Amino acid sequence: ALAEKTRLAAERQQQTAQREAWGWAMTKVAAAVLRAVQHATYEGKHYRFGYDGKTLTIAAKDGRGVLVSRQGDQLLFVSEQITEADRDYFQAQGQALQQRLPTLDVSPPPPTDPKTTWER
């Protein structure tokens, strides 16, 4: 029973780390989009995101609400509802944006250090 509890705890920890990595990648792209459009908020078909001068927040428009929020180099919140599909969508948006603005860095951080500072 203890081995099973340990395995489940490790699995949960791994899922949390994975969601945090997705959250980091998504907030980096969202920040780049906001810089590119020169607005504090952006609303697309599936997501709404904004920066209030301190906190960058991404919300899903499908009823899941806030998926991730970041302040500086700290994730404040990562929803358990964040999915790989969310990450993939933002990754695709980041690549599209990078093709239009080649100097933009939207690459995700090294997976070993999710606390990488995004604003270079």
Side-chain angles (χ1 to χ4, degrees):
L2 183 60
E4 178 67 9
K5 275 185 181 173
T6 304
R7 187 186 64 75
L8 289 174
E11 231 173 69
R12 247 192 323 275
Q13 196 173 8
Q14 191 177 9
Q15 288 168 347
T16 299
Q18 190 172 49
R19 281 195 305 270
E20 285 179 1
W22 295 343
W24 274 109
M26 289 166 61
T27 58
K28 179 141 192 203
V29 171
V33 168
L34 293 175
R35 279 195 302 274
V37 299
Q38 298 183 333
H39 286 288
T41 59
Y42 180 84
E43 190 154 337
K45 187 175 176 184
H46 304 288
Y47 302 93
R48 176 177 40 253
F49 46 94
Y51 180 68
D52 66 7
K54 272 191 185 171
T55 307
L56 175 68
T57 303
I58 299 173
K61 292 171 68 176
D62 61 7
R64 290 179 293 156
V66 173
L67 296 179
V68 61
S69 63
R70 183 186 101 199
Q71 195 168 27
D73 63 354
Q74 277 197 301
L75 285 177
L76 301 179
F77 172 75
V78 179
S79 170
E80 289 191 2
Q81 309 245 3
I82 200 170
T83 66
E84 204 167 353
D86 297 319
R87 192 269 330 257
D88 292 347
Y89 175 84
F90 275 83
Q91 213 169 32
Q93 296 305 309
Q95 287 166 351
L97 194 60
Q98 208 161 22
Q99 285 170 358
R100 282 191 301 232
L101 304 166
T103 58
L104 207 60
D105 177 17
V106 293
S107 58
T112 52
D113 184 12
K115 297 290 182 263
T116 301
T117 301
W118 288 85
E119 310 304 327
R120 292 190 181 132

